[in-house]
Amino acid sequence: SIQAQAVRYDKDADAHYDTVSAFIKSVRGSDVDAALYWLARMLQAGEDPKFIARRLLILASEDIGLADPQALVQAVAVAQALTWVGLPEAQYHLALATMYLALAPKSNSTQAYFKAKDQLLATGITELPEPLRDASRDGAALGHGRGYLYPHDFPGHWVEQDYLPPTLQGKIFYEPGEEGAEKELAARWRTRRRPQGNS
């Protein structure tokens, strides 16, 4: 009892946030042993396992992303397993996800979304190009969709065309990582990225 009490912390106090921070930073830093230690410390302190699962879900996309797209699948599976199993058996699932995410190659290229979001907030809503507009209703009469090139009609299911608004042509948001699966994905993508202007 005394030993168990020694690792408990008040979930509203600094120790709660500091321990979660240590856990996330250990997984992000690919230190499996440290990540497992902080996981054990949180669970022994009575941390809600769903809170831990949520943090792993975020980390899978924020810190691993395209370097290992299966990381998110693993994190989702663990979150689902929690609803079926619960503690104490779910310690296996949380440990498995923690180990997988810690061992996975890392990429934070999903930050590209926030660059796009910042651009939107800075420039406001820009006009939607006619070729990208919906012509399936009455838009065809207004010219909506005119000039759109259907990628599946072309070799490799790809054709060069503009998808950004004219005022944003040449803007770059996504900078691919060079780890894991993203390296291969990015190599194919680079052959298609058009020469860009200043970003």
Side-chain angles (χ1 to χ4, degrees):
S1 175
I2 294 173
Q3 191 174 20
Q5 187 65 29
V7 297
R8 294 194 176 278
Y9 56 73
D10 181 350
K11 290 186 198 176
D12 295 324
D14 289 343
H16 163 70
Y17 296 104
D18 289 344
T19 306
V20 170
S21 176
F23 173 66
I24 295 301
K25 288 174 180 174
S26 298
V27 177
R28 181 185 296 136
S30 302
D31 190 326
V32 181
D33 296 311
L36 289 172
Y37 171 80
W38 295 117
L39 173 65
R41 184 155 160 174
M42 287 189 294
L43 289 172
Q44 289 303 304
E47 185 62 75
D48 181 356
K50 291 181 180 177
F51 172 78
I52 300 171
R54 282 195 299 272
R55 297 306 308 170
L56 291 171
L57 282 165
I58 295 166
L59 188 144
S61 291
E62 181 181 358
D63 294 299
I64 297 170
L66 292 174
D68 184 352
Q70 285 298 311
L72 181 57
V73 176
Q74 295 289 331
V76 169
V78 168
Q80 187 175 16
L82 279 175
T83 66
W84 284 83
V85 178
L87 291 176
E89 289 86 355
Q91 291 175 94
Y92 288 109
H93 306 101
L94 289 166
L96 177 64
T98 296
M99 294 165 69
Y100 188 97
L101 299 188
L103 291 168
K106 305 299 188 289
S107 170
N108 68 343
S109 64
T110 52
Q111 293 296 322
Y113 162 75
F114 295 98
K115 293 179 183 177
K117 179 182 173 183
D118 290 343
Q119 179 69 55
L120 174 66
L121 295 175
T123 58
I125 302 298
T126 55
E127 188 170 347
L128 223 155
E130 290 293 345
L132 301 185
R133 294 187 182 202
D134 180 21
S136 63
R137 293 169 286 135
D138 59 353
L142 302 172
H144 294 182
R146 187 176 299 142
Y148 174 66
L149 304 175
Y150 187 57
H152 298 298
D153 288 340
F154 295 85
H157 301 264
W158 180 83
V159 61
E160 185 175 316
Q161 65 184 325
D162 294 326
Y163 292 101
L164 279 170
T167 57
L168 295 179
Q169 288 302 316
K171 195 70 181 171
I172 295 173
F173 303 116
Y174 172 59
E175 294 294 346
E178 293 296 327
E179 301 298 322
E182 189 169 19
K183 184 174 184 177
E184 181 180 341
L185 292 169
R188 183 168 63 246
W189 169 80
R190 282 192 180 96
T191 66
R192 295 176 173 176
R193 178 180 245 179
R194 297 166 61 181
Q196 302 288 333
N198 293 329
S199 63

